Amino acid sequence: MSEPLVIIGNGMAAARFADELSKRALGRYAIAVVGDEPRLAYNRVLLSSVLAGEVASSAIELKPRDWWADRGITLRYGCRATAIDASARIITLADGQSLPFSKLVLATGSQPIKPAIPGMALPGVITFRDINDIWTLWHRAGTDDRVVVIGGGLLGLEAAYGLAKASARVTVLHLMDRLMERQLDPYAAAMLKRAVEAMGIEVILNADTAEIEGANRVEGVRLKDGRTIQTDAVVVAIGIRPSAELARTGGIAVNRGIVVDDTMQTDVAGIHAIGECAEHRGLVYGLVEPAYEQARVLADCLAGRTARYEGSVLATNLKVSGVNVFSAGDFLGSEGTEEIVLTDPGFGSYKKFVVSDGRLVGAVLFGDTADGLWYLELIRSGASIAAFRDDLAFGRALVERVHTKPAPTRLAA
Ligand SMILES: Cc1cc2nc3c(=O)[nH]c(=O)nc-3n(C[C@H](O)[C@H](O)[C@H](O)COP(=O)(O)OP(=O)(O)OC[C@H]3O[C@@H](n4cnc5c(N)ncnc54)[C@H](O)[C@@H]3O)c2cc1C
């Protein structure tokens, strides 16, 4: 008989895990997915493109309904898991039903962080996390509406771009002195600011929000320096927090996220966590690639193979049309690292590479990002770049042309 395996969360990590596990051990487990969003799992990464009108909301489903049914997976979406009894091995659902499990996989993702400032509960304050948020944004922030986006990181800028494309008048407020400071060095961040402003989006740096003002709905945002920006809506995009409460109340070890070992197991045998809710070696990732790597490792382990997750090298791509930004690894560098920089202000291009012990450890690209994945592979592999260091900044095509030995030609007899 198949072992009952329950996955809580019907997001990107859950869908990838179900896929990887069914490729390795179809039939070994009776899989049930419990998800509180009332729809099939979808590609959350594409929400920015949906907001910008570049992708239809109907086109972002990860797998069609039949795909799940064909693999014998039971889907319970629109249904929240409210409690885990780790010793009785039972999940309780919001509708009062319960589900027994032998193995449990927590893939509950994250929630947007809301700052503890007055006015956050006013109608017109919106987050940017799921498809409902997109519908609310479309409803609240159309042509000529004024929108303030709090947060000048990746999500905030993608929201600002989507709203500006919908002809809203957008102001981005960012607490720090440069945009995307966690992914970009000051030079690239300054280029990004100019590019964003050229789209008609106002950017205010060093902007510390004191209060969201309004009687019955949002009317303005007051900064701590006394300035007030009049607005019809506020999008809050200042960061995310792992959804780990369910695990915590179930007695599973939680730090910032649900603590897992290299096999993605929590401190309770047979209970696992993957994706944005998981904390591995002290790190919680907010990107999809680590979630997919974790899903692969866990599928291997639950199929009886040996596998370990050892952490991920992060890479970021901004999805703002016409503004190509890529960063990966240790892009700031530290003592003992060297930098290779190539700028072409005329073409709006900037490339910075951080090298340590003859290996590439980080990169920032602005403008021409076509070789981003190649640089990422060099960082991930830790391969020596000594043979082509001087040509590294000129890209993959040149390096491969100049530094790959031609195959020996056979001499005619
Ligand atoms: C607008 C946007 C743009 C993004 N762009 C990028 C990008 O360009 N590149 C990138 O790498 N990443 C990007 N991300 C992040 C990426 O989407 C996440 O890293 C990824 O979705 C994580 O997958 P997950 O399964 O861990 O979480 P999620 O996809 O969030 O799935 C978790 C699911 O669990 C559900 N859930 C939570 N608690 C319960 C419960 N108790 N019971 C039932 N269900 C529950 C949630 O409702 C949710 O549906 C973006 C995110 C957003 C919001």
Side-chain angles (χ1 to χ4, degrees):
M1 224 175 79
S2 306
E3 240 183 281
L5 182 152
V6 176
I7 306 172
I8 304 184
N10 61 334
M12 298 189 75
R16 178 56 68 99
F17 169 71
D19 190 9
E20 299 279 0
L21 187 63
S22 38
K23 280 180 192 149
R24 290 163 177 75
L26 191 66
R28 174 160 171 182
Y29 296 98
I31 303 173
V33 180
V34 177
D36 62 357
E37 289 192 68
R39 51 186 54 84
L40 293 170
Y42 58 86
N43 188 339
R44 201 173 299 282
V45 170
L46 289 179
L47 286 182
S48 307
S49 310
V50 173
L51 180 65
E54 291 161 354
V55 172
S57 60
S58 54
I60 64 172
E61 226 161 61
L62 287 167
K63 308 277 184 198
R65 191 176 308 274
D66 288 354
W67 183 92
W68 299 93
D70 291 348
R71 280 149 191 81
I73 299 172
T74 310
L75 289 180
R76 308 194 52 152
Y77 51 82
C79 175
R80 190 167 181 78
T82 51
I84 301 169
D85 186 333
S87 42
R89 317 273 296 176
I90 286 177
I91 305 295
T92 307
L93 307 180
D95 61 9
Q97 292 188 42
S98 53
L99 273 182
F101 67 87
S102 161
K103 298 276 192 298
L104 176 64
V105 178
L106 298 164
T108 47
S110 304
Q111 303 146 39
I113 295 175
K114 291 188 176 176
I117 52 170
M120 280 302 296
L122 281 171
V125 179
I126 308 157
T127 51
F128 187 31
R129 178 72 195 174
D130 60 31
I131 197 116
N132 281 337
D133 292 334
I134 303 291
W135 287 325
T136 314
L137 280 163
W138 275 334
H139 178 66
R140 293 264 179 199
T143 307
D144 263 0
D145 284 335
R146 294 161 305 177
V147 187
V148 164
V149 177
I150 303 181
L154 183 117
L155 272 195
L157 293 177
E158 290 185 358
Y161 164 70
L163 293 164
K165 266 197 90 183
S167 303
R169 290 176 281 157
V170 184
T171 301
V172 173
L173 304 179
H174 192 49
L175 183 62
M176 310 306 283
D177 62 0
R178 65 178 202 267
L179 295 172
M180 284 182 68
E181 76 285 347
R182 287 166 62 193
Q183 290 92 8
L184 297 182
D185 66 349
Y187 194 93
M191 290 178 87
L192 175 62
K193 180 169 179 282
R194 285 195 294 276
V196 169
E197 286 170 338
M199 294 176 165
I201 297 169
E202 183 186 19
V203 176
I204 305 180
L205 299 175
N206 302 303
D208 198 355
T209 307
E211 181 179 2
I212 298 173
E213 298 178 327
N216 301 310
R217 49 159 299 122
V218 169
E219 289 168 17
V221 174
R222 186 169 57 77
L223 301 181
K224 285 198 177 149
D225 64 12
R227 277 180 289 178
T228 298
I229 299 110
Q230 302 300 317
T231 189
D232 303 301
V234 172
V235 179
V236 179
I238 60 167
I240 50 175
R241 173 182 302 117
S243 297
E245 210 39 45
L246 185 67
R248 194 193 310 275
T249 52
I252 297 159
V254 171
N255 194 10
R256 205 175 138 234
I258 305 166
V259 179
V260 292
D261 63 16
D262 289 359
T263 65
M264 308 314 296
Q265 181 161 259
T266 66
D267 65 334
V268 180
I271 301 188
H272 308 265
I274 52 172
E276 286 189 352
C277 66
E279 176 177 323
H280 173 260
R281 298 190 187 176
L283 292 177
V284 174
Y285 296 99
L287 294 171
V288 78
E289 197 50 39
Y292 282 179
E293 288 175 34
Q294 295 171 358
R296 209 159 35 239
V297 168
L298 181 58
D300 270 339
C301 294
L302 292 185
R305 303 180 189 172
T306 305
R308 303 188 83 74
Y309 175 69
E310 295 185 339
S312 299
V313 175
L314 294 185
T316 305
N317 257 311
L318 183 69
K319 299 183 294 300
V320 170
S321 185
V323 184
N324 298 326
V325 177
F326 173 88
S327 102
D330 174 14
F331 60 90
L332 286 176
S334 52
E335 218 182 299
T337 58
E338 303 160 66
E339 287 178 11
I340 302 169
V341 176
L342 184 70
T343 41
D344 187 341
F347 278 105
S349 166
Y350 170 72
K351 299 180 180 184
K352 172 179 155 184
F353 304 93
V354 179
V355 176
S356 174
D357 290 333
R359 286 161 224 294
L360 184 64
V361 294
V364 178
L365 309 177
F366 190 97
D368 174 8
T369 56
D371 282 331
L373 288 180
W374 181 62
Y375 290 121
L376 178 62
E377 262 326 295
L378 288 175
I379 296 170
R380 282 192 174 145
S381 68
S384 168
I385 58 158
F388 53 88
R389 185 189 185 286
D390 293 347
D391 290 326
L392 179 74
F394 299 105
R396 178 179 196 164
L398 184 125
V399 166
E400 290 186 347
R401 199 168 59 243
V402 175
H403 297 275
T404 309
K405 284 190 195 134
T409 40
R410 194 186 284 261
L411 292 173

